Structure formats: C-alpha cells, structure tokens
C-alpha cells in the first residue's frame, strides 16, 4: 500500500490532487457526477467583495494543446460565497476546501479574506494576485514584489488559517515575488496562474476573445509551470501548490519532484470533467510502478 | 452528464458544408430536444458542443456545420471510429409549455436541436408549424423529416431559391401561423428578431463558445433578468422574457 497523503501547513490532504480555481466551479456543480471525496482538496472559484458578471463572451478560445480564457472573475460576491457556496460544497466534500479570493484594493482583499477565514468550512485561503483578466485589479498586485508583500501582510493580519498567495507567471523573476510573499508571512504559494495570451480570428479580423487578451493554460504550459515551481521551491522554504498544464498522474509526480507539495489541475477539467477523479484513482499504481512508497519522499528532490 | 465511448455508424454530407453523423452507444443521458453533447476530437484541446438531433435506444444523430478545423476533422471521420462524448448536457426545450399549437422557428443548422422537441410536441398531440430559414436552397436540412413527423413546414431562403424569399420573420408575417407558444433556435440576430416580432411566450436556445460544456468554467455566461447564467448548464434554452439580448 502506497501513501498518497500530503500535508499543507498542517492541513492533511488524502492525496495531492486539487482542482484549480476557476476550473471546477464552486465544487457542488460536479457533486452529481462523481464522489468529490476522492479529491485531496478543491480550490473554489475566485471570489471578490461584490458580485461580478465578468467579461463579455466569447470568453474562451482554443489553442494548440491548450486554451485561453477571459472569464473575468464572474462570482456572486463574498457574502453569497460564505453563506451559500461554502456550506453547499461542504455538504458533498470532507477534504480541504480552499477559498480563492481576488480583489481590486488591499481593503477588498482584507475584507474578503477575513470573511472567508471566519467561515467554518474554509481550510486554506488562496489569495489571487495574478488574474490577468480584470483591469486595475489582481495582476497589478502580482507583478510587483512590494505590492505582493503588502497584500500578503494585510491579509495575514486578519487570517488564522493558512494563507497561500497565487502567483502570476507574467513577471520577469517569479522568485523575487515569491520571496517577498514569504518574507511578508505567506504560509504557502500557488503557481502558476495563466500566461497572458491572445488569438485572432483572421477571417473576421478581430480578436477571438471579447476582452482581446486572456489567460493561456492547458497542457502546453506544463513545462513553464514546472520550471517556475522548481525555481520557487529552491528560492523559498514554504510549501508550494504546483499548477499549470497538469493532465495525468505522471504530471503530478513530476510537479512534486519539481517542488510541489500539492498539485492543482486546471484547464484539463474543461476537456475532461472527470480528470481529477481519474488522476486520484491512477496515482497509487503509478507510484508503485515508480517505486514510490510515500509521496512526501519525492517533494522537491530535483 | 454522462461520459461514454460511442462508435460512428454513419457520417454523411446532407447539405452545403453540413454533415449528419449517427453515433452508437448509451443514450440514457438524453431526455429533451435541445440538449447537447460534447465531443472530444483527437488533437483538439476542447470538446465540440453539438446538439443532439434525435436518438433511440441504440444511438443518436447530430447535424453539424463545418465552421472550423475541429468540425472539418469531424467531417472526414469514418464509420467505426470511436469517440469520447459527454451526453445529456443542457436543459433542452420544454414541450409542456405548449397548450394547443406551437410555432418552431429555426435558422440554418438551428433546425437540428428543435427536431426532438417537435417529435415530442407531435406525440403530445399538439399542432406544430415549423419555419426553417436558410441562406439558399443548398443549405436546407430536415425539411422532409419535419414533414414526416407531421409538422406544417414553411421554408424561407434569403435568395429566394426555395420557399418564401426573405427572413423567417417575413415568412411568419406572410403565413400568420397560429400558436400559443413559440420556440426558436438559430443565429443570435435571428432569435432576437423572432423574440421581438412574436407575441406571447417563447423559448430560445442560445449558443456561445464553450469551455467545459457542463457548468464548471463559467466560460459561456449570458445576461438574463435573473442575473448571469451559464448557457451550457442553466440553458442553453431560456425563456424569451429572461433573455437580455
């Protein structure tokens, strides 16, 4: 019997498989399709203080081995998130519930994180300072070490639960931002968010996305995500949730060897809504094949 | 939502750039006309959401237009090919909303999602008028099949190569079909015009570029009087009153 359990800042996950924020709704959407309890954790859809429609459609465009999206943080607002979405996912899921929070100002991050932290259903907070799809928010905090540290410090002041900061790959040196977050008190880091991208409809001579640009994700970004996870794992001593282009159990192992303690699966859920279940199911056999008794033994060996 | 492997029984060109494919496999996920399936295509990252035209215990049919590389690849798929497909997606039309007579207005391959709705309306003993709009005669699909079901069929073509010359709304003002509930499926501009022109209650089936097709990515949201709704999971069929065009 292999051991798939991992620990994130004291929170135990039965396995490292976590659907990434924005690719698994608020969890409850999939509860009729399979038993969510096979998952280690779920990172819920990003939430802001006020309800948001997000960007106009088209919000999705395909790319070779991936896709770009510009959903733009559609969500019902923090109040509805805490009162409806969190209790609702908890009815179906006893693993780690990760509340993903976005904002347009430090005050907004603080207010939303405090509310999500106070909710009994939340196990971990994930602070998104890297959304490329909203103007004047999110990413603005994720591309400056100083601003990233400010958000981290302010949020840590009001939270008792572990705080992970979700980092953007759209920076010159991700380790600089990662270290700034660690120094400001972050308990962990999630990376990478999507890479800013674009598609053009050459017949209509217009961008495919109504928002012009969108976040690039999917299998194609896996090597980039892996490299950044590895760099950050070497630069920091706090745990990392690796994210970006993961599509199978072998990718989970690779991401963990690069330095991830848990592994998020994002765009692959859109092509195969059952993929997280399939990865969790196939992980023990892949571990046996590779001679891995416990996943904790491979974290950051590279 | 159900995921299963299906085998192509047939795949043939039935009109201009328009193909009809029959797939054999589990159809227990399909319940209402207007529901769709999401087809994985080797080498393409996202699935292709396409409405189910009709189904029986052995399999289901889709009618699709070649609009890009994914559907182009589908058009060359041979019988015997196996495909990974999600079925039973979306809410579908509500045949129960029609008391006596229904008006079904379709544009282009929008004729396909309404087919099983009309089948159900006829089964319930409702009188059905189907208005099919196309650019030209070579694009016409399902006209004979709708007649065989027992519907009164009116065809309109933009170039006048068949039936009424002009838009579906022109054909409706000319023929004045009786109805107490209407349904529409086709290009957005057409459905908007239909919803604005027709009196009484109706339903429209919206379309958008989709990510997941099953409500988890929020990639295909539309504006409604009830706030933002996901076309794939809350729709694709919405009532005329709730759609904000």
């Amino acid at each position: 019997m292999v051991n798939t359990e991992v620990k994130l800042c004291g929170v135990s996950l039965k396995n490292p498989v976590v659907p990434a924020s924005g690719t698994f709704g608020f969890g409850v959407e999939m509860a009729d399709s399979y038993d969510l309890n096979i998952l280690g954790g779920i990172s819920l859809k990003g939430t802001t203080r006020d309800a948001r429609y997000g960007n106009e459609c088209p919000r999705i465009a395909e790319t070779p081995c991936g896709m770009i999206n510009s959903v733009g943080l559609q969500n019902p607002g923090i109040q509805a998130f805490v009162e409806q979405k969190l209790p609702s996912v908890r009815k179906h899921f006893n693993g780690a519930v990760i509340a993903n929070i976005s904002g347009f100002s430090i005050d907004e991050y603080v207010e939303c994180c405090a509310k999500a932290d106070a909710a009994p259903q939340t196990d971990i907070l994930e602070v998104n300072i890297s959304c490329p799809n909203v103007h004047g928010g999110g990413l603005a905090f994720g591309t400056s070490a100083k601003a990233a540290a400010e958000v981290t410090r302010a949020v840590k002041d009001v939270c008792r639960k572990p705080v992970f900061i979700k980092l953007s790959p759209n920076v010159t040196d991700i380790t600089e931002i990662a270290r700034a977050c660690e120094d400001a008190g972050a308990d962990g880091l999630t990376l990478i968010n999507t890479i800013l991208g674009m598609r053009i409809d050459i017949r209509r001579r217009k961008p495919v996305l109504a928002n012009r640009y969108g976040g690039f994700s999917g299998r194609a970004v896996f090597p980039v995500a892996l490299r950044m996870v590895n760099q950050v794992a070497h630069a920091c001593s706090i745990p990392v949730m690796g994210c970006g282009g993961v599509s199978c159990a072998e990718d989970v192992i690779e991401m963990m060897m690069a330095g991830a303690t848990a592994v998020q699966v994002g765009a692959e859920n859109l092509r195969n809504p059952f993929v997280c279940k399939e990865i969790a199911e196939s992980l023990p056999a892949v571990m046996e094949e590779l001679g891995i008794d416990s996943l904790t033994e491979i974290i950051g060996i590279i | 939502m159900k995921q299963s492997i299906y085998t192509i029984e047939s795949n043939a060109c039935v009109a201009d750039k328009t193909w009809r494919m029959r797939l054999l496999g589990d159809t227990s996920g399909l319940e209402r006309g207007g529901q769709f399936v999401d087809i994985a295509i080797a080498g393409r990252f996202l699935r292709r959401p396409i409405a189910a035209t009709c189904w029986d215990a052995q399999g289901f049919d889709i009618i699709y237009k070649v609009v890009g590389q994914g559907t182009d690849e589908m058009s060359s798929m041979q019988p015997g090919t196996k495909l990974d497909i999600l079925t039973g997606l979306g809410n579908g039309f509500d045949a129960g909303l029609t008391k006596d007579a229904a008006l079904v207005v379709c544009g282009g391959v929008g004729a396909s999602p309404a087919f099983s709705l009309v089948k159900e309306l006829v089964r319930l003993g409702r009188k059905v008028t189907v208005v099919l709009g196309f650019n030209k005669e070579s694009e016409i699909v399902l006209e004979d099949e709708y007649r065989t079901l027992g519907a009164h069929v009116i065809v309109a073509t933009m170039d006048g190569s068949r039936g009424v010359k002009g838009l579906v709304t022109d054909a409706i003002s000319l023929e004045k079909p009786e109805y107490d509930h209407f349904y529409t499926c086709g290009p957005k501009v057409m459905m908007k015009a239909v919803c604005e022109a027709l009196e009484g209650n109706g339903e429209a089936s919206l379309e958008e570029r989709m990510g997941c097709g099953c409500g988890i990515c929020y990639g295909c949201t539309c504006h409604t009087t009830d706030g933002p709704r996901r076309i794939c999971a809350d729709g694709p069929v919405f009532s005329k009153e709730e759609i904000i065009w």
Side-chain angles (χ1 to χ4, degrees), chain A residues 46 68 76 84 95 97 101 107 127 136 164 173 180 216 235 238 243 256 292:
Chain A
I68 54 173
Q84 296 157 26
V97 167
I101 302 297
D107 286 349
V127 182
F164 277 64
D173 179 5
F216 177 36
I238 50 178
C243 180
M256 294 186 77
I292 302 165

Side-chain angles (χ1 to χ4, degrees), chain B residues 26-133:
Chain B
D26 178 18
T27 53
S28 59
L30 292 165
E31 289 166 358
R32 297 218 292 196
Q35 285 190 301
F36 64 96
V37 303
D38 217 357
I39 305 175
I41 300 171
R44 298 279 153 197
F45 191 75
L46 296 172
R47 289 169 186 264
R48 295 298 185 272
I50 298 172
T53 312
C54 55
W55 57 89
D56 54 35
Q58 284 75 46
F60 65 91
D61 287 32
I62 54 168
I63 292 177
Y64 61 97
K65 190 153 193 173
V66 174
V67 290
Q69 290 169 332
T71 40
D72 188 41
E73 282 166 23
M74 279 175 64
S75 70
S76 60
M77 288 177 179
Q78 298 300 312
T81 305
K82 295 198 183 311
L83 292 172
D84 165 359
I85 303 178
L86 305 176
T87 63
L89 301 170
N91 57 356
F93 295 103
D94 187 353
L97 296 171
T98 299
K99 287 189 193 70
D100 302 306
L103 173 59
V104 179
V105 188
C106 307
V109 285
S112 163
F115 191 75
S116 287
L117 161 73
V118 172
K119 208 170 162 182
E120 176 64 6
L121 287 164
V122 170
R123 193 190 69 81
L124 292 168
R126 309 292 180 259
K127 191 168 167 262
V128 187
T129 303
V130 177
V131 181
L132 302 174

Side-chain angles (χ1 to χ4, degrees), chain B residues 172-194:
Chain B
I172 293 165
S173 14
L174 205 68
E175 303 256 350
K176 298 185 175 54
E178 281 180 23
Y179 66 93
D180 57 72
H181 196 84
F182 74 86
Y183 305 87
T184 183
C185 185
K188 196 171 178 179
V189 282
M190 183 208 85
M191 292 193 289
K192 181 172 186 272
V194 166

Side-chain angles (χ1 to χ4, degrees), chain A residues 18-19 42-43 75 93 117 162 193 197 214 261:
Chain A
V18 177
I42 301 175
S43 182
N75 77 90
F93 184 54
D117 183 76
N193 204 320
T261 299

Side-chain angles (χ1 to χ4, degrees), chain A residues 22-26 29-30 33 45 52-53 56-63 65-67 71 74 208 218-219 267-274 278, chain B residues 1-3 38 40-41 43-48 84 86 208-224 227-231:
Chain A
T23 66
F24 209 71
F26 294 95
E29 292 90 335
M30 282 301 292
S33 298
K45 185 154 173 52
R52 283 177 55 84
Y53 178 82
E56 292 302 326
C57 289
R59 296 173 169 184
I60 302 282
E62 195 176 45
T63 68
C65 295
M67 56 173 285
V71 171
Q74 179 184 336
V208 173
R219 295 177 183 186
E268 195 69 18
N269 287 303
L270 276 57
R271 76 179 255 114
N272 176 12
F274 298 91
E278 291 167 10
Chain B
M1 172 172 60
K2 296 206 169 189
Q3 181 182 31
D38 217 357
I41 300 171
R44 298 279 153 197
F45 191 75
L46 296 172
R47 289 169 186 264
R48 295 298 185 272
D84 165 359
L86 305 176
E208 188 49 78
R209 279 176 185 259
M210 289 179 183
C212 62
C214 60
I216 55 177
C217 80
Y218 290 67
C220 61
T221 299
C222 64
H223 296 274
T224 76
R229 305 287 297 278
R230 299 160 301 173
I231 291 176

